[in-house]
Amino acid sequence: MTDAKRLTLAHGSGGEPMQQLLHQHIQPLFDNAILARQEDQARLNMTLAPGERLAFTTDSFVVTPLCFPGGNIGTLAANGTLNDLVVGGARPHYLSCALIIEEGLPLETLQALLADLAREVRAAGALVVTGDTKVVPRGAADGLFINTSGIGVIPAAVDLGTHRLKAGCRLLVSGPVGDHGAAILACRRELALGGDLISDCASLWPLVKGMLEEPGLLAMRDATRGGVNAVLHEFAAAAGLSVELEEAAIPVRPAVRGLCELLGLDPLQLACEGRLLAAVEADAAERMLERMHAHPLGSGAQLIGRLVPQRNSAVIVRGLYGVERSLPAVSGELLPRIC
Amino acid sequence: MTDAKRLTLAHGSGGEPMQQLLHQHIQPLFDNAILARQEDQARLNMTLAPGERLAFTTDSFVVTPLCFPGGNIGTLAANGTLNDLVVGGARPHYLSCALIIEEGLPLETLQALLADLAREVRAAGALVVTGDTKVVPRGAADGLFINTSGIGVIPAAVDLGTHRLKAGCRLLVSGPVGDHGAAILACRRELALGGDLISDCASLWPLVKGMLEEPGLLAMRDATRGGVNAVLHEFAAAAGLSVELEEAAIPVRPAVRGLCELLGLDPLQLACEGRLLAAVEADAAERMLERMHAHPLGSGAQLIGRLVPQRNSAVIVRGLYGVERSLPAVSGELLPRIC
């Protein structure tokens, strides 16, 4: 490193300073033989049994601030892409990691964030096998953006997706909603109630691995940007059905509810980063819920509603005394750079 | 679209405006059934024959300006990632496309760039099957950044890489060097000689498909950031050998040479975006060169040097009258945001 403390444009040049950065500071964090080969592409010795399919996904992460209670852009970039594989029923195998760094970022910051990213990927049994490093001049980006793409394998017996949704199936959420969005909000506005607001950022693989062994699973989504509300509207639109929710069943932490009341927000519209919504056959819903409760990541799981033949609203919430209200799709921007 | 002309933060919100942008303006450009399913992950029905391996690569593109003579960030994001697959001997199959958009980007600009990206990917016989869209507030990014990741298949008979390099093998370049770097430079500085400076941005797949049928191919790299010089230093370092180049054999267009003389640059250090460097068994080099000449993308190919037992410099250029000079690795930043 020509400058031991901060990243410079030379670290993105393709020349010697970049090679040094990669060899000395980045590759060791991911420590695997495929990445260490340093070719322009990772070569993967995979075998696919008959009926197995590859899952392939990508996400860019632009969250601000880079670190927040419960996580950082590194844990988010790992778990966000792992979860996009997992909710399709895929076991995660390989991730890429592409960095866009604003000149001046402290090397120590980058290393700490990538160490966290590497740890989360390893914990899910996957490897970071290829990457890219760009450094842009001050002001051309904001600190650090990370793109991760992922490859997983969907077992032959698994077929999840909105094409399997049908009237009567039940909707389960794996835990309290809105934690990530609330944590970012409190953190940015420096609200005093920040102490209890912690992002739920986590890999869902350990939970989903068990759920895939249960019968009756039809579709899953992780409730990120747009929160549970966005997933419900996507389910309703894709299936040509409506969603009926029981308001009392929706798990929301007191601190998140407090923040929402203070700011006039709906917890269903706040992003989660470690929660999934599952659609399950009606007669399998109770057993699935038990299975979810058996894992720490699903200990707060709840049966929150069902899909019904199309009504005049896509998503309907039944509150106290059976009073119904319709939950509109989000049309504005609630909170930019949440993930 | 709430605002018909420019992208807003709402288009990255995960809610309805984003769904509209994707359905009406982006998905149709890529027009394929896998992407149209709109799940969080693409599901790919691939079969791998015994000995076939997956190739997996990623690149983020931050080039400025977004459009330049000979290409734009869209053609670059397609061909850059296609080429990173291709130089490993892989036939490209699937690409992801993740956008980081600065609020205010004209929708028309985005569509035109993505249409070009889609066209280049299709021309290589590949599909864009998954994506991501983030919009960041004005000033948090510069216009548009694109990440593409790619999946290809390496045939069982193909084994390319720096592990196969050895003393005596020959080095071939597929055409004139430095065109992309020179085009970007001239474009940014508004130099009058810009007319003849055109990026070589192109997919190398049609050329490489034929080269893979010839015997003796050992390793390939596309000469992007850092130019041919960076590839030569990587080859030398990986193999523990030195490179000897014949200066007179290195193809450089007159306009590129003129620009380099004007600015005191070395064409070997300027980026290419449609040129590859190949290491080939000595006795197979002439036939490989003929094969390259047979394709328009390789019509300017030249045998430029060889690998030799380690000398006191990694890369040595023999000029007129046999005078040798050593070509150092690049340590500073020649030209930020070249790709």
Side-chain angles (χ1 to χ4, degrees):
Chain A
M1 306 278 298
T2 46
D3 176 331
K5 299 276 185 253
R6 289 181 183 271
L7 278 296
T8 67
L9 291 173
H11 293 118
S13 66
E16 229 169 47
M18 188 168 106
Q19 295 300 326
Q20 273 179 36
L21 171 69
L22 296 179
H23 285 130
Q24 291 172 24
H25 301 280
I26 295 187
Q27 268 187 43
L29 302 173
F30 296 113
D31 187 29
N32 69 73
I34 304 173
L35 185 67
R37 286 188 64 185
Q38 278 274 296
E39 296 286 351
D40 287 344
Q41 68 301 119
R43 291 105 188 257
L44 311 174
N45 285 308
M46 296 185 84
T47 50
L48 289 170
E52 285 185 344
R53 288 138 296 157
L54 279 191
F56 181 31
T57 191
T58 191
D59 249 326
S60 290
F61 296 86
V62 298
V63 68
T64 182
L66 293 177
C67 297
F68 46 83
N72 57 51
I73 194 171
T75 60
L76 206 55
N79 293 325
T81 287
L82 291 168
N83 289 346
D84 278 345
L85 293 173
V86 161
V87 294
R91 171 188 287 271
H93 283 241
Y94 300 110
L95 260 68
S96 63
C97 175
L99 310 172
I100 299 175
I101 301 165
E102 183 186 13
E103 177 189 18
L105 184 77
L107 173 63
E108 204 181 331
T109 304
L110 180 67
Q111 278 190 293
L113 295 169
L114 292 182
D116 285 352
L117 187 156
R119 189 195 60 232
E120 296 292 306
V121 173
R122 240 190 326 264
L127 292 175
V128 173
V129 292
T130 190
D132 178 50
T133 307
K134 296 288 190 311
V135 184
V136 297
R138 232 173 270 268
D142 186 15
L144 176 66
F145 300 151
I146 302 181
N147 176 282
T148 49
S149 298
I151 294 177
V153 175
I154 305 172
V158 172
D159 176 28
L160 303 178
T162 52
H163 63 287
R164 298 202 55 207
L165 296 173
K166 55 189 174 185
C169 71
R170 299 298 196 267
L171 299 169
L172 293 90
V173 68
S174 65
V177 304
D179 289 5
H180 178 72
I184 295 284
L185 251 175
C187 188
R188 275 198 219 153
R189 302 197 182 182
E190 298 177 3
L191 296 177
L193 29 60
D196 289 333
L197 294 167
I198 296 168
S199 170
D200 55 328
C201 180
S203 154
L204 288 163
W205 176 237
L207 174 67
V208 168
K209 198 164 51 169
M211 292 173 67
L212 291 174
E213 292 168 6
E214 293 294 327
L217 195 55
L218 300 173
M220 288 188 289
R221 289 280 170 99
D222 54 338
T224 57
R225 270 183 295 178
V228 169
N229 179 53
V231 176
L232 295 174
H233 277 276
E234 282 174 47
F235 276 6
L241 298 168
S242 287
V243 170
E244 288 181 359
L245 293 185
E246 298 297 331
E247 187 147 42
I250 300 165
V252 184
R253 290 189 201 283
V256 173
R257 195 180 296 284
L259 181 83
C260 284
E261 281 169 7
L262 194 69
L263 301 177
L265 300 172
D266 185 334
L268 288 174
Q269 295 183 351
L270 286 183
C272 316
E273 287 292 342
R275 303 283 178 243
L276 61 81
L277 203 84
V280 179
E281 298 274 12
D283 58 6
E286 283 298 336
R287 257 196 78 179
M288 186 65 77
L289 192 62
E290 278 171 38
R291 182 75 189 224
M292 293 168 80
H293 285 158
H295 193 281
L297 277 172
S299 60
Q302 293 274 13
L303 225 162
I304 61 169
R306 69 177 81 201
L307 283 170
V308 298
Q310 201 156 42
R311 297 179 51 181
N312 46 14
S313 299
V315 181
I316 295 137
V317 186
R318 196 171 5 240
L320 286 176
Y321 317 113
V323 175
E324 291 186 342
R325 61 186 171 93
S326 122
L327 196 69
V330 175
S331 60
E333 172 49 47
L334 194 64
L335 193 59
R337 302 185 63 190
I338 188 83
C339 61
Chain B
M1 306 276 300
T2 45
D3 176 332
K5 299 276 184 254
R6 290 181 181 273
L7 278 297
T8 67
L9 291 173
H11 293 119
S13 66
E16 231 171 44
M18 188 168 106
Q19 295 300 327
Q20 274 179 35
L21 171 69
L22 295 179
H23 284 130
Q24 292 172 25
H25 300 280
I26 296 187
Q27 269 187 42
L29 301 172
F30 296 113
D31 186 30
N32 70 73
I34 303 173
L35 185 66
R37 285 188 64 183
Q38 279 273 299
E39 296 285 352
D40 287 345
Q41 69 300 118
R43 290 106 188 257
L44 311 175
N45 285 308
M46 295 185 84
T47 49
L48 289 171
E52 286 185 342
R53 287 137 296 157
L54 277 192
F56 181 31
T57 191
T58 190
D59 249 325
S60 290
F61 297 87
V62 298
V63 68
T64 182
L66 292 177
C67 296
F68 46 82
N72 57 52
I73 194 172
T75 60
L76 207 55
N79 293 325
T81 287
L82 290 168
N83 290 346
D84 278 346
L85 294 173
V86 161
V87 295
R91 172 187 286 270
H93 284 242
Y94 299 110
L95 260 69
S96 62
C97 175
L99 311 171
I100 299 175
I101 300 165
E102 183 186 13
E103 177 190 18
L105 184 76
L107 172 63
E108 203 180 333
T109 304
L110 180 67
Q111 279 190 293
L113 296 168
L114 293 182
D116 284 352
L117 187 157
R119 190 195 60 233
E120 297 292 307
V121 173
R122 240 190 326 264
L127 292 175
V128 173
V129 292
T130 189
D132 177 50
T133 307
K134 296 287 191 310
V135 183
V136 299
R138 234 173 267 268
D142 185 15
L144 175 66
F145 299 151
I146 301 181
N147 176 282
T148 49
S149 299
I151 294 177
V153 175
I154 305 172
V158 172
D159 176 28
L160 303 178
T162 53
H163 63 287
R164 298 202 55 208
L165 297 172
K166 55 188 173 182
C169 71
R170 298 298 195 267
L171 298 169
L172 293 89
V173 68
S174 65
V177 304
D179 290 4
H180 178 72
I184 295 284
L185 250 174
C187 188
R188 275 199 220 152
R189 301 199 182 180
E190 298 176 3
L191 298 177
L193 29 59
D196 289 335
L197 296 167
I198 296 167
S199 169
D200 55 327
C201 179
S203 154
L204 289 163
W205 177 236
L207 174 67
V208 168
K209 198 164 51 168
M211 292 172 67
L212 292 174
E213 292 168 5
E214 293 293 327
L217 195 54
L218 301 172
M220 288 189 288
R221 289 279 171 99
D222 54 338
T224 57
R225 270 184 296 178
V228 169
N229 179 54
V231 176
L232 295 173
H233 277 277
E234 282 174 46
F235 275 7
L241 299 168
S242 287
V243 170
E244 289 181 358
L245 293 185
E246 299 297 330
E247 187 147 43
I250 299 164
V252 185
R253 290 189 201 283
V256 174
R257 195 178 295 284
L259 181 84
C260 283
E261 282 170 5
L262 195 69
L263 301 177
L265 300 172
D266 185 336
L268 288 173
Q269 295 183 352
L270 286 183
C272 315
E273 287 293 342
R275 304 282 177 242
L276 61 79
L277 205 84
V280 179
E281 299 274 12
D283 58 6
E286 283 297 336
R287 255 195 80 179
M288 186 65 78
L289 192 61
E290 277 172 40
R291 181 78 189 222
M292 293 168 81
H293 286 158
H295 193 280
L297 277 172
S299 62
Q302 293 273 13
L303 225 163
I304 61 168
R306 69 178 80 201
L307 284 170
V308 299
Q310 201 156 44
R311 297 179 53 180
N312 45 16
S313 299
V315 180
I316 296 137
V317 185
R318 196 173 4 240
L320 287 174
Y321 317 114
V323 176
E324 291 187 342
R325 61 185 171 93
S326 119
L327 195 69
V330 176
S331 59
E333 171 49 47
L334 195 62
L335 192 59
R337 302 185 63 189
I338 188 81
C339 61

